[in-house]
PDB file of all heavy atoms in Angstrom:
ATOM      1  N   VAL F 132     -19.568  30.429  80.264  1.00 86.00           N
ATOM      2  CA  VAL F 132     -20.337  31.251  81.174  1.00 86.00           C
ATOM      3  C   VAL F 132     -19.596  31.395  82.474  1.00 86.00           C
ATOM      4  O   VAL F 132     -19.245  30.294  83.074  1.00 86.00           O
ATOM      5  CB  VAL F 132     -21.726  30.569  81.413  1.00 86.00           C
ATOM      6  CG1 VAL F 132     -22.529  31.411  82.380  1.00 86.00           C
ATOM      7  CG2 VAL F 132     -22.474  30.422  80.061  1.00 86.00           C
ATOM      8  N   ARG F 133     -19.446  32.547  82.914  1.00 88.00           N
ATOM      9  CA  ARG F 133     -18.653  32.857  84.153  1.00 88.00           C
ATOM     10  C   ARG F 133     -19.497  32.380  85.334  1.00 88.00           C
ATOM     11  O   ARG F 133     -20.708  32.586  85.404  1.00 88.00           O
ATOM     12  CB  ARG F 133     -18.399  34.366  84.264  1.00 88.00           C
ATOM     13  CG  ARG F 133     -17.609  34.722  85.488  1.00 88.00           C
ATOM     14  CD  ARG F 133     -17.290  36.245  85.465  1.00 88.00           C
ATOM     15  NE  ARG F 133     -16.579  36.638  86.659  1.00 88.00           N
ATOM     16  CZ  ARG F 133     -16.199  37.903  86.849  1.00 88.00           C
ATOM     17  NH1 ARG F 133     -16.464  38.826  85.931  1.00 88.00           N
ATOM     18  NH2 ARG F 133     -15.578  38.286  87.955  1.00 88.00           N
ATOM     19  N   PRO F 134     -18.832  31.743  86.354  1.00 91.00           N
ATOM     20  CA  PRO F 134     -19.544  31.347  87.537  1.00 91.00           C
ATOM     21  C   PRO F 134     -19.990  32.480  88.371  1.00 91.00           C
ATOM     22  O   PRO F 134     -19.458  33.638  88.283  1.00 91.00           O
ATOM     23  CB  PRO F 134     -18.558  30.454  88.297  1.00 91.00           C
ATOM     24  CG  PRO F 134     -17.208  30.897  87.833  1.00 91.00           C
ATOM     25  CD  PRO F 134     -17.423  31.319  86.358  1.00 91.00           C
ATOM     26  N   LEU F 135     -20.956  32.293  89.246  1.00 92.00           N
ATOM     27  CA  LEU F 135     -21.507  33.380  90.022  1.00 92.00           C
ATOM     28  C   LEU F 135     -20.443  33.983  90.936  1.00 92.00           C
ATOM     29  O   LEU F 135     -20.466  35.204  91.148  1.00 92.00           O
ATOM     30  CB  LEU F 135     -22.658  32.829  90.871  1.00 92.00           C
ATOM     31  CG  LEU F 135     -23.377  33.844  91.855  1.00 92.00           C
ATOM     32  CD1 LEU F 135     -23.995  34.974  91.032  1.00 92.00           C
ATOM     33  CD2 LEU F 135     -24.415  33.135  92.722  1.00 92.00           C
ATOM     34  N   TYR F 136     -19.546  33.176  91.508  1.00 93.00           N
ATOM     35  CA  TYR F 136     -18.460  33.645  92.367  1.00 93.00           C
ATOM     36  C   TYR F 136     -17.258  32.751  92.122  1.00 93.00           C
ATOM     37  O   TYR F 136     -17.424  31.634  91.604  1.00 93.00           O
ATOM     38  CB  TYR F 136     -18.909  33.699  93.796  1.00 93.00           C
ATOM     39  CG  TYR F 136     -19.269  32.407  94.393  1.00 93.00           C
ATOM     40  CD1 TYR F 136     -18.335  31.567  95.025  1.00 93.00           C
ATOM     41  CD2 TYR F 136     -20.602  31.935  94.267  1.00 93.00           C
ATOM     42  CE1 TYR F 136     -18.726  30.305  95.523  1.00 93.00           C
ATOM     43  CE2 TYR F 136     -20.962  30.624  94.744  1.00 93.00           C
ATOM     44  CZ  TYR F 136     -20.042  29.874  95.418  1.00 93.00           C
ATOM     45  OH  TYR F 136     -20.352  28.634  95.936  1.00 93.00           O
ATOM     46  N   GLY F 137     -16.101  33.260  92.603  1.00 91.00           N
ATOM     47  CA  GLY F 137     -14.878  32.490  92.372  1.00 91.00           C
ATOM     48  C   GLY F 137     -14.227  31.994  93.625  1.00 91.00           C
ATOM     49  O   GLY F 137     -13.499  30.992  93.587  1.00 91.00           O
ATOM     50  N   THR F 138     -14.308  32.791  94.729  1.00 92.00           N
ATOM     51  CA  THR F 138     -13.563  32.371  95.960  1.00 92.00           C
ATOM     52  C   THR F 138     -14.446  32.561  97.161  1.00 92.00           C
ATOM     53  O   THR F 138     -15.339  33.424  97.204  1.00 92.00           O
ATOM     54  CB  THR F 138     -12.319  33.300  96.128  1.00 92.00           C
ATOM     55  OG1 THR F 138     -12.737  34.699  96.202  1.00 92.00           O
ATOM     56  CG2 THR F 138     -11.313  33.110  94.980  1.00 92.00           C
ATOM     57  N   VAL F 139     -14.225  31.749  98.180  1.00 94.00           N
ATOM     58  CA  VAL F 139     -14.897  31.852  99.458  1.00 94.00           C
ATOM     59  C   VAL F 139     -13.828  31.720 100.520  1.00 94.00           C
ATOM     60  O   VAL F 139     -13.068  30.781 100.546  1.00 94.00           O
ATOM     61  CB  VAL F 139     -15.939  30.699  99.676  1.00 94.00           C
ATOM     62  CG1 VAL F 139     -16.612  30.858 101.029  1.00 94.00           C
ATOM     63  CG2 VAL F 139     -16.972  30.793  98.553  1.00 94.00           C
ATOM     64  N   GLN F 140     -13.777  32.754 101.393  1.00 92.00           N
ATOM     65  CA  GLN F 140     -12.788  32.733 102.486  1.00 92.00           C
ATOM     66  C   GLN F 140     -13.442  33.146 103.778  1.00 92.00           C
ATOM     67  O   GLN F 140     -14.534  33.763 103.809  1.00 92.00           O
ATOM     68  CB  GLN F 140     -11.624  33.792 102.122  1.00 92.00           C
ATOM     69  CG  GLN F 140     -10.963  33.488 100.890  1.00 92.00           C
ATOM     70  CD  GLN F 140      -9.959  34.570 100.496  1.00 92.00           C
ATOM     71  OE1 GLN F 140      -9.907  35.622 101.205  1.00 92.00           O
ATOM     72  NE2 GLN F 140      -9.214  34.409  99.395  1.00 92.00           N
ATOM     73  N   ARG F 141     -12.786  32.851 104.872  1.00 90.00           N
ATOM     74  CA  ARG F 141     -13.298  33.293 106.155  1.00 90.00           C
ATOM     75  C   ARG F 141     -13.129  34.773 106.183  1.00 90.00           C
ATOM     76  O   ARG F 141     -12.119  35.407 105.892  1.00 90.00           O
ATOM     77  CB  ARG F 141     -12.491  32.659 107.298  1.00 90.00           C
ATOM     78  CG  ARG F 141     -13.034  32.936 108.662  1.00 90.00           C
ATOM     79  CD  ARG F 141     -12.285  32.150 109.733  1.00 90.00           C
ATOM     80  NE  ARG F 141     -12.392  30.721 109.490  1.00 90.00           N
ATOM     81  CZ  ARG F 141     -13.492  29.994 109.856  1.00 90.00           C
ATOM     82  NH1 ARG F 141     -14.525  30.629 110.410  1.00 90.00           N
ATOM     83  NH2 ARG F 141     -13.545  28.708 109.637  1.00 90.00           N
ATOM     84  N   ALA F 142     -14.206  35.456 106.648  1.00 87.00           N
ATOM     85  CA  ALA F 142     -14.230  36.923 106.759  1.00 87.00           C
ATOM     86  C   ALA F 142     -13.332  37.358 107.872  1.00 87.00           C
ATOM     87  O   ALA F 142     -13.476  36.866 109.093  1.00 87.00           O
ATOM     88  CB  ALA F 142     -15.616  37.406 106.942  1.00 87.00           C
ATOM     89  N   THR F 143     -12.362  38.200 107.594  1.00 79.00           N
ATOM     90  CA  THR F 143     -11.477  38.710 108.626  1.00 79.00           C
ATOM     91  C   THR F 143     -12.066  39.980 109.186  1.00 79.00           C
ATOM     92  O   THR F 143     -12.295  40.955 108.467  1.00 79.00           O
ATOM     93  CB  THR F 143     -10.088  38.964 108.063  1.00 79.00           C
ATOM     94  OG1 THR F 143      -9.607  37.756 107.452  1.00 79.00           O
ATOM     95  CG2 THR F 143      -9.134  39.431 109.148  1.00 79.00           C
ATOM     96  N   PRO F 144     -12.265  40.089 110.503  1.00 69.00           N
ATOM     97  CA  PRO F 144     -12.812  41.293 111.114  1.00 69.00           C
ATOM     98  C   PRO F 144     -11.840  42.474 110.895  1.00 69.00           C
ATOM     99  O   PRO F 144     -10.593  42.273 110.844  1.00 69.00           O
ATOM    100  CB  PRO F 144     -13.015  41.032 112.580  1.00 69.00           C
ATOM    101  CG  PRO F 144     -12.066  39.855 112.809  1.00 69.00           C
ATOM    102  CD  PRO F 144     -12.002  39.105 111.532  1.00 69.00           C
ATOM    103  N   PRO F 145     -12.295  43.697 110.711  1.00 63.00           N
ATOM    104  CA  PRO F 145     -11.430  44.807 110.588  1.00 63.00           C
ATOM    105  C   PRO F 145     -10.599  45.091 111.815  1.00 63.00           C
ATOM    106  O   PRO F 145     -11.036  44.874 112.919  1.00 63.00           O
ATOM    107  CB  PRO F 145     -12.425  46.019 110.273  1.00 63.00           C
ATOM    108  CG  PRO F 145     -13.698  45.558 110.865  1.00 63.00           C
ATOM    109  CD  PRO F 145     -13.772  44.063 110.736  1.00 63.00           C
ATOM    110  N   ASP F 146      -9.360  45.583 111.599  1.00 61.00           N
ATOM    111  CA  ASP F 146      -8.450  45.828 112.707  1.00 61.00           C
ATOM    112  C   ASP F 146      -8.412  47.363 112.880  1.00 61.00           C
ATOM    113  O   ASP F 146      -7.745  48.036 112.088  1.00 61.00           O
ATOM    114  CB  ASP F 146      -7.107  45.272 112.375  1.00 61.00           C
ATOM    115  CG  ASP F 146      -6.098  45.478 113.520  1.00 61.00           C
ATOM    116  OD1 ASP F 146      -6.469  46.092 114.507  1.00 61.00           O
ATOM    117  OD2 ASP F 146      -4.918  45.105 113.354  1.00 61.00           O
ATOM    118  N   PRO F 147      -9.126  47.917 113.882  1.00 61.00           N
ATOM    119  CA  PRO F 147      -9.061  49.407 114.024  1.00 61.00           C
ATOM    120  C   PRO F 147      -7.617  49.873 114.314  1.00 61.00           C
ATOM    121  O   PRO F 147      -7.296  50.993 113.942  1.00 61.00           O
ATOM    122  CB  PRO F 147      -9.991  49.665 115.236  1.00 61.00           C
ATOM    123  CG  PRO F 147     -10.824  48.368 115.358  1.00 61.00           C
ATOM    124  CD  PRO F 147      -9.985  47.290 114.855  1.00 61.00           C
ATOM    125  N   ALA F 148      -6.840  49.098 114.991  1.00 63.00           N
ATOM    126  CA  ALA F 148      -5.512  49.520 115.356  1.00 63.00           C
ATOM    127  C   ALA F 148      -4.678  49.673 114.051  1.00 63.00           C
ATOM    128  O   ALA F 148      -3.857  50.616 114.012  1.00 63.00           O
ATOM    129  CB  ALA F 148      -4.828  48.521 116.296  1.00 63.00           C
TER     130      ALA F 148
END
Side-chain angles (χ1 to χ4, degrees):
V132 178
R133 181 176 177 178
L135 180 61
Y136 60 93
T138 59
V139 179
Q140 302 172 355
R141 187 174 299 280
T143 303
D146 182 1

